Amino acid sequence: MKQSWYYFILFLFLCFILSCSSHEEKTQDFTYTGTGDNVETNPVKAIGWSGERLANAYCGGCHLKPNPDLLTRKLWREYVLPDMGRRLGLFYEPRDPFNENPEIAEIIYPKEPVIHRDDWEKIAEYYIENSPEQMLPQSEKSVENVGINEFVPKGIKVDKEIPPTSSFIKIDETEQSIFVALAHRAIYKLKHMEVVEIMQVGSAPSSLAQTAENELLALGMGIMAPSEEKSGELHYFSSASDNSEILLKGLHRPVDVKLADLNQNGREDLLICNFGHHSGDLAWFENEPDGTYTKHILRSKPGAIQAWITDFNNNGLPDILSLFAQGDEGIFAYINQGDGIFKEEVLLRFPPVYGSSYFELADISGNGHKDIIYVNGDNADLTPVQKNYHGIRIYLNDGKNNFHESFFYPMYGAQKAMVADFNGNGKPDIAAISFFPDYTQAEPESFVLLINESIDTHELKFKAKTFPEQNDGHWLTMDVGDLTGNGLQDIVLGSFIIGPNDAPYDILTNWQDLGYHFMLLENQGFEVKFFDP
């Protein structure tokens, strides 16, 4: 009975995973000539406009316009175009496809068309005629095996009664400890690979932050399935008490929390990504003198999945950079104007089929300016096919916070990538995981280590490596840090095996038999330091 309860909770958590970058929603089959009461209310026709120009105007009005070659003809015709049409007021249904609040459905799907049906036909024709029959192939690459004297993999079980369901993992270098969140509502603290503390959260944990006093804040998502219900909570764990306190309620499927004194008044404020569903927001919560918090919305759109707080423009004030992974995908900066006022700047935008999942700031070029390492590979949407544009991209900073793509490593289903100097030669390397790898390949590439071999930034060069045990878990999360105190950067991979995936039977069985909640890749040092300065 106990395990049945766990699996029910885990099923709900899976619903969150499968919606976190749900760029397209399920629809009925697409028909060009659909009928309905709203057919006679066609808007004015755009005379002489091509399908591409119309797509630029209508599709590009909500997000970066996707090119036709990003998906196959079948996917456009049967899945994506129907959803696009509904959002333009065609094929309107009076209720939401997920049976939610009809008021929300009316916000998402207009009752009246906002485009002339002939213009919509041109857009559909443009995508269908210019899309491939098959997905375009991934660029060629080679991956070597990591030597045993470089990283030693150690699989760890946290609780034998619970299957591997790590929703996040975090290294505390100061205490040389690990925090592992499992989707049955608990966060485990381990030292020397032994559980020393268990913190209960009201729902599946999604993020953890430490205050200036080293006390802990943990997010519980509330409703994990796609929902407009706002039942997420922020829990506060005091070192002076065994009990937790709920600081915030009514959060909308929150997935990331950060702390900083954003208005420079001496009190730590909160920054929370409310991923949401149809609606959501990125917001900071002002810490008031009486201990309450006042919410200030920075961007009132769903899909906020991650945020960083940094002095982006070097003026002494903390700024915010956030990744949005639903609909209008992109990285947005919120520049601190002082007195709690922020100005939005668009840094990068991506097509809504990209599957944005993570980004990191690091000085890859060595010029003293923060570059962007961006990851896209979330395949839990309407088009779960291997996409050649999934992978890891490096956008170099020109010194004026303008970014241009300088490196791309293709990686099916890329989930997360973290930067650290793993081989000790002073150059930033990259460790990356995939949650949707290609299991038809001899090496599915669930994990890859990119060793920096760049001589200069005019041509970034990385050598890709992996390790034989990469398929001993289904890696959803990861963290990097010196866990063993030897001055070398270790890697911890969190496994989440519940739910549908394309893994063959032998790999699935291996996950279940091993039961690893996470794997430590203990850095033993590299024999060769590539291109030592």
Side-chain angles (χ1 to χ4, degrees), residues 48 60 69 82 87 100 123 136 182 187 224 259 292 325 332 370 376 424 493 522 528 532:
D69 64 0
R87 293 174 185 273
E100 294 182 330
I123 291 177
L136 300 180
L182 301 184
I187 301 172
M224 294 162 283
L259 294 94
T292 61
F332 301 83
K370 297 180 179 70
N376 69 304
L493 311 177
E522 186 175 344
V528 179
D532 280 340

PDB file of all heavy atoms in Angstrom, residues 48 60 69 82 87 100 123 136 182 187 224 259 292 325 332 370 376 424 493 522 528 532:
ATOM      1  N   GLY A  48      -2.042  40.230 -51.209  1.00  0.00           N
ATOM      2  CA  GLY A  48      -0.706  40.141 -51.785  1.00  0.00           C
ATOM      3  C   GLY A  48       0.373  39.621 -50.849  1.00  0.00           C
ATOM      4  O   GLY A  48       1.545  39.563 -51.238  1.00  0.00           O
ATOM      5  N   GLY A  60       5.307  35.425 -35.555  1.00  0.00           N
ATOM      6  CA  GLY A  60       6.331  36.247 -34.934  1.00  0.00           C
ATOM      7  C   GLY A  60       5.782  37.294 -33.996  1.00  0.00           C
ATOM      8  O   GLY A  60       6.546  37.934 -33.267  1.00  0.00           O
ATOM      9  N   ASP A  69      11.652  23.927 -41.433  1.00  0.00           N
ATOM     10  CA  ASP A  69      12.489  22.731 -41.380  1.00  0.00           C
ATOM     11  C   ASP A  69      12.770  22.235 -39.964  1.00  0.00           C
ATOM     12  O   ASP A  69      13.473  21.246 -39.786  1.00  0.00           O
ATOM     13  CB  ASP A  69      13.810  22.958 -42.119  1.00  0.00           C
ATOM     14  CG  ASP A  69      14.679  24.036 -41.493  1.00  0.00           C
ATOM     15  OD1 ASP A  69      14.270  24.624 -40.460  1.00  0.00           O
ATOM     16  OD2 ASP A  69      15.772  24.304 -42.024  1.00  0.00           O
ATOM     17  N   PRO A  82      -2.717  22.705 -36.106  1.00  0.00           N
ATOM     18  CA  PRO A  82      -4.024  22.807 -35.440  1.00  0.00           C
ATOM     19  C   PRO A  82      -3.986  23.677 -34.190  1.00  0.00           C
ATOM     20  O   PRO A  82      -4.899  24.470 -33.950  1.00  0.00           O
ATOM     21  CB  PRO A  82      -4.349  21.348 -35.093  1.00  0.00           C
ATOM     22  CG  PRO A  82      -3.600  20.552 -36.094  1.00  0.00           C
ATOM     23  CD  PRO A  82      -2.327  21.308 -36.343  1.00  0.00           C
ATOM     24  N   ARG A  87      -5.181  29.112 -31.582  1.00  0.00           N
ATOM     25  CA  ARG A  87      -4.731  30.324 -30.891  1.00  0.00           C
ATOM     26  C   ARG A  87      -4.973  31.580 -31.717  1.00  0.00           C
ATOM     27  O   ARG A  87      -4.833  32.698 -31.214  1.00  0.00           O
ATOM     28  CB  ARG A  87      -3.261  30.189 -30.512  1.00  0.00           C
ATOM     29  CG  ARG A  87      -3.035  29.118 -29.456  1.00  0.00           C
ATOM     30  CD  ARG A  87      -1.575  28.868 -29.179  1.00  0.00           C
ATOM     31  NE  ARG A  87      -1.406  27.752 -28.256  1.00  0.00           N
ATOM     32  CZ  ARG A  87      -1.415  27.855 -26.936  1.00  0.00           C
ATOM     33  NH1 ARG A  87      -1.601  29.032 -26.370  1.00  0.00           N
ATOM     34  NH2 ARG A  87      -1.258  26.796 -26.181  1.00  0.00           N
ATOM     35  N   GLU A 100     -10.222  22.798 -17.989  1.00  0.00           N
ATOM     36  CA  GLU A 100      -9.959  23.743 -16.920  1.00  0.00           C
ATOM     37  C   GLU A 100     -10.982  24.873 -16.953  1.00  0.00           C
ATOM     38  O   GLU A 100     -12.014  24.803 -17.626  1.00  0.00           O
ATOM     39  CB  GLU A 100      -8.541  24.290 -17.040  1.00  0.00           C
ATOM     40  CG  GLU A 100      -7.488  23.230 -16.806  1.00  0.00           C
ATOM     41  CD  GLU A 100      -6.088  23.804 -16.873  1.00  0.00           C
ATOM     42  OE1 GLU A 100      -5.871  24.776 -17.598  1.00  0.00           O
ATOM     43  OE2 GLU A 100      -5.218  23.273 -16.178  1.00  0.00           O
ATOM     44  N   ILE A 123      -0.446  30.405 -44.580  1.00  0.00           N
ATOM     45  CA  ILE A 123       0.544  30.075 -43.554  1.00  0.00           C
ATOM     46  C   ILE A 123       0.725  28.567 -43.469  1.00  0.00           C
ATOM     47  O   ILE A 123       1.857  28.051 -43.456  1.00  0.00           O
ATOM     48  CB  ILE A 123       0.107  30.643 -42.188  1.00  0.00           C
ATOM     49  CG1 ILE A 123       0.187  32.169 -42.203  1.00  0.00           C
ATOM     50  CG2 ILE A 123       0.985  30.070 -41.069  1.00  0.00           C
ATOM     51  CD1 ILE A 123      -0.298  32.815 -40.924  1.00  0.00           C
ATOM     52  N   LEU A 136      15.693  16.397 -39.897  1.00  0.00           N
ATOM     53  CA  LEU A 136      17.041  16.556 -40.407  1.00  0.00           C
ATOM     54  C   LEU A 136      18.032  15.872 -39.474  1.00  0.00           C
ATOM     55  O   LEU A 136      17.833  15.815 -38.257  1.00  0.00           O
ATOM     56  CB  LEU A 136      17.376  18.037 -40.548  1.00  0.00           C
ATOM     57  CG  LEU A 136      16.470  18.827 -41.509  1.00  0.00           C
ATOM     58  CD1 LEU A 136      16.894  20.289 -41.556  1.00  0.00           C
ATOM     59  CD2 LEU A 136      16.489  18.217 -42.903  1.00  0.00           C
ATOM     60  N   LEU A 182      13.522  13.970  -3.539  1.00  0.00           N
ATOM     61  CA  LEU A 182      12.778  12.906  -4.195  1.00  0.00           C
ATOM     62  C   LEU A 182      11.316  13.328  -4.300  1.00  0.00           C
ATOM     63  O   LEU A 182      10.785  14.013  -3.431  1.00  0.00           O
ATOM     64  CB  LEU A 182      12.908  11.588  -3.429  1.00  0.00           C
ATOM     65  CG  LEU A 182      14.342  11.062  -3.265  1.00  0.00           C
ATOM     66  CD1 LEU A 182      14.330   9.698  -2.583  1.00  0.00           C
ATOM     67  CD2 LEU A 182      15.057  10.986  -4.603  1.00  0.00           C
ATOM     68  N   ILE A 187      13.240  16.028   1.118  1.00  0.00           N
ATOM     69  CA  ILE A 187      14.603  16.395   0.737  1.00  0.00           C
ATOM     70  C   ILE A 187      15.546  15.718   1.729  1.00  0.00           C
ATOM     71  O   ILE A 187      15.398  15.864   2.946  1.00  0.00           O
ATOM     72  CB  ILE A 187      14.801  17.918   0.766  1.00  0.00           C
ATOM     73  CG1 ILE A 187      13.822  18.604  -0.195  1.00  0.00           C
ATOM     74  CG2 ILE A 187      16.241  18.287   0.391  1.00  0.00           C
ATOM     75  CD1 ILE A 187      13.818  20.124  -0.079  1.00  0.00           C
ATOM     76  N   MET A 224       1.192  19.326  -9.610  1.00  0.00           N
ATOM     77  CA  MET A 224       2.291  19.055 -10.539  1.00  0.00           C
ATOM     78  C   MET A 224       1.822  18.907 -11.972  1.00  0.00           C
ATOM     79  O   MET A 224       2.547  19.241 -12.908  1.00  0.00           O
ATOM     80  CB  MET A 224       3.036  17.799 -10.086  1.00  0.00           C
ATOM     81  CG  MET A 224       3.749  17.992  -8.764  1.00  0.00           C
ATOM     82  SD  MET A 224       4.184  16.426  -7.978  1.00  0.00           S
ATOM     83  CE  MET A 224       2.579  15.926  -7.331  1.00  0.00           C
ATOM     84  N   LEU A 259      17.723  34.046  -3.689  1.00  0.00           N
ATOM     85  CA  LEU A 259      17.677  35.070  -2.654  1.00  0.00           C
ATOM     86  C   LEU A 259      18.712  36.143  -2.938  1.00  0.00           C
ATOM     87  O   LEU A 259      19.838  35.847  -3.346  1.00  0.00           O
ATOM     88  CB  LEU A 259      17.942  34.479  -1.270  1.00  0.00           C
ATOM     89  CG  LEU A 259      16.928  33.499  -0.706  1.00  0.00           C
ATOM     90  CD1 LEU A 259      17.351  32.069  -1.037  1.00  0.00           C
ATOM     91  CD2 LEU A 259      16.796  33.665   0.793  1.00  0.00           C
ATOM     92  N   THR A 292       6.649  40.015   6.407  1.00  0.00           N
ATOM     93  CA  THR A 292       5.801  39.606   5.287  1.00  0.00           C
ATOM     94  C   THR A 292       6.516  39.913   3.969  1.00  0.00           C
ATOM     95  O   THR A 292       7.569  40.563   3.948  1.00  0.00           O
ATOM     96  CB  THR A 292       4.449  40.336   5.326  1.00  0.00           C
ATOM     97  OG1 THR A 292       4.677  41.757   5.218  1.00  0.00           O
ATOM     98  CG2 THR A 292       3.715  40.033   6.628  1.00  0.00           C
ATOM     99  N   ALA A 325      10.635  29.026 -20.909  1.00  0.00           N
ATOM    100  CA  ALA A 325      10.705  27.786 -21.675  1.00  0.00           C
ATOM    101  C   ALA A 325       9.355  27.356 -22.228  1.00  0.00           C
ATOM    102  O   ALA A 325       9.164  26.187 -22.542  1.00  0.00           O
ATOM    103  CB  ALA A 325      11.287  26.676 -20.801  1.00  0.00           C
ATOM    104  N   PHE A 332      15.777  36.580 -20.779  1.00  0.00           N
ATOM    105  CA  PHE A 332      15.409  37.975 -20.569  1.00  0.00           C
ATOM    106  C   PHE A 332      16.179  38.526 -19.369  1.00  0.00           C
ATOM    107  O   PHE A 332      16.325  37.848 -18.352  1.00  0.00           O
ATOM    108  CB  PHE A 332      13.904  38.106 -20.334  1.00  0.00           C
ATOM    109  CG  PHE A 332      13.069  37.586 -21.475  1.00  0.00           C
ATOM    110  CD1 PHE A 332      12.792  36.219 -21.581  1.00  0.00           C
ATOM    111  CD2 PHE A 332      12.575  38.431 -22.451  1.00  0.00           C
ATOM    112  CE1 PHE A 332      12.044  35.720 -22.637  1.00  0.00           C
ATOM    113  CE2 PHE A 332      11.813  37.947 -23.508  1.00  0.00           C
ATOM    114  CZ  PHE A 332      11.549  36.592 -23.602  1.00  0.00           C
ATOM    115  N   LYS A 370      30.534  37.968 -18.741  1.00  0.00           N
ATOM    116  CA  LYS A 370      29.777  36.728 -18.617  1.00  0.00           C
ATOM    117  C   LYS A 370      29.177  36.315 -19.957  1.00  0.00           C
ATOM    118  O   LYS A 370      28.454  37.080 -20.592  1.00  0.00           O
ATOM    119  CB  LYS A 370      28.674  36.892 -17.569  1.00  0.00           C
ATOM    120  CG  LYS A 370      29.187  37.169 -16.153  1.00  0.00           C
ATOM    121  CD  LYS A 370      28.039  37.324 -15.186  1.00  0.00           C
ATOM    122  CE  LYS A 370      28.538  37.565 -13.762  1.00  0.00           C
ATOM    123  NZ  LYS A 370      29.166  38.902 -13.621  1.00  0.00           N
ATOM    124  N   ASN A 376      19.023  23.287 -24.731  1.00  0.00           N
ATOM    125  CA  ASN A 376      17.647  22.985 -25.146  1.00  0.00           C
ATOM    126  C   ASN A 376      17.556  21.526 -25.553  1.00  0.00           C
ATOM    127  O   ASN A 376      18.431  20.993 -26.228  1.00  0.00           O
ATOM    128  CB  ASN A 376      17.187  23.895 -26.289  1.00  0.00           C
ATOM    129  CG  ASN A 376      17.898  23.615 -27.596  1.00  0.00           C
ATOM    130  OD1 ASN A 376      19.119  23.656 -27.674  1.00  0.00           O
ATOM    131  ND2 ASN A 376      17.134  23.352 -28.643  1.00  0.00           N
ATOM    132  N   GLY A 424      41.689  20.930 -14.503  1.00  0.00           N
ATOM    133  CA  GLY A 424      42.660  21.751 -13.804  1.00  0.00           C
ATOM    134  C   GLY A 424      43.643  22.504 -14.664  1.00  0.00           C
ATOM    135  O   GLY A 424      44.735  22.850 -14.202  1.00  0.00           O
ATOM    136  N   LEU A 493      24.909  13.288 -10.436  1.00  0.00           N
ATOM    137  CA  LEU A 493      23.794  13.138 -11.367  1.00  0.00           C
ATOM    138  C   LEU A 493      22.596  12.563 -10.644  1.00  0.00           C
ATOM    139  O   LEU A 493      22.712  11.542  -9.948  1.00  0.00           O
ATOM    140  CB  LEU A 493      24.186  12.202 -12.525  1.00  0.00           C
ATOM    141  CG  LEU A 493      25.506  12.480 -13.237  1.00  0.00           C
ATOM    142  CD1 LEU A 493      25.754  11.411 -14.304  1.00  0.00           C
ATOM    143  CD2 LEU A 493      25.506  13.865 -13.858  1.00  0.00           C
ATOM    144  N   GLU A 522      33.340  10.972  -9.000  1.00  0.00           N
ATOM    145  CA  GLU A 522      34.401  11.528  -8.173  1.00  0.00           C
ATOM    146  C   GLU A 522      35.632  11.810  -9.027  1.00  0.00           C
ATOM    147  O   GLU A 522      36.198  10.915  -9.650  1.00  0.00           O
ATOM    148  CB  GLU A 522      34.742  10.561  -7.053  1.00  0.00           C
ATOM    149  CG  GLU A 522      35.735  11.124  -6.047  1.00  0.00           C
ATOM    150  CD  GLU A 522      35.968  10.193  -4.881  1.00  0.00           C
ATOM    151  OE1 GLU A 522      35.151   9.269  -4.690  1.00  0.00           O
ATOM    152  OE2 GLU A 522      36.961  10.385  -4.162  1.00  0.00           O
ATOM    153  N   VAL A 528      46.301  14.089 -18.387  1.00  0.00           N
ATOM    154  CA  VAL A 528      46.700  15.070 -19.397  1.00  0.00           C
ATOM    155  C   VAL A 528      45.889  16.336 -19.192  1.00  0.00           C
ATOM    156  O   VAL A 528      44.673  16.294 -19.099  1.00  0.00           O
ATOM    157  CB  VAL A 528      46.456  14.532 -20.822  1.00  0.00           C
ATOM    158  CG1 VAL A 528      46.859  15.574 -21.852  1.00  0.00           C
ATOM    159  CG2 VAL A 528      47.250  13.250 -21.034  1.00  0.00           C
ATOM    160  N   ASP A 532      47.939  23.100 -21.718  1.00  0.00           N
ATOM    161  CA  ASP A 532      48.307  23.822 -20.505  1.00  0.00           C
ATOM    162  C   ASP A 532      48.873  25.184 -20.860  1.00  0.00           C
ATOM    163  O   ASP A 532      49.694  25.304 -21.777  1.00  0.00           O
ATOM    164  CB  ASP A 532      49.365  23.044 -19.722  1.00  0.00           C
ATOM    165  CG  ASP A 532      48.734  21.923 -18.909  1.00  0.00           C
ATOM    166  OD1 ASP A 532      47.520  21.979 -18.646  1.00  0.00           O
ATOM    167  OD2 ASP A 532      49.469  21.002 -18.560  1.00  0.00           O
TER     168      ASP A 532
END
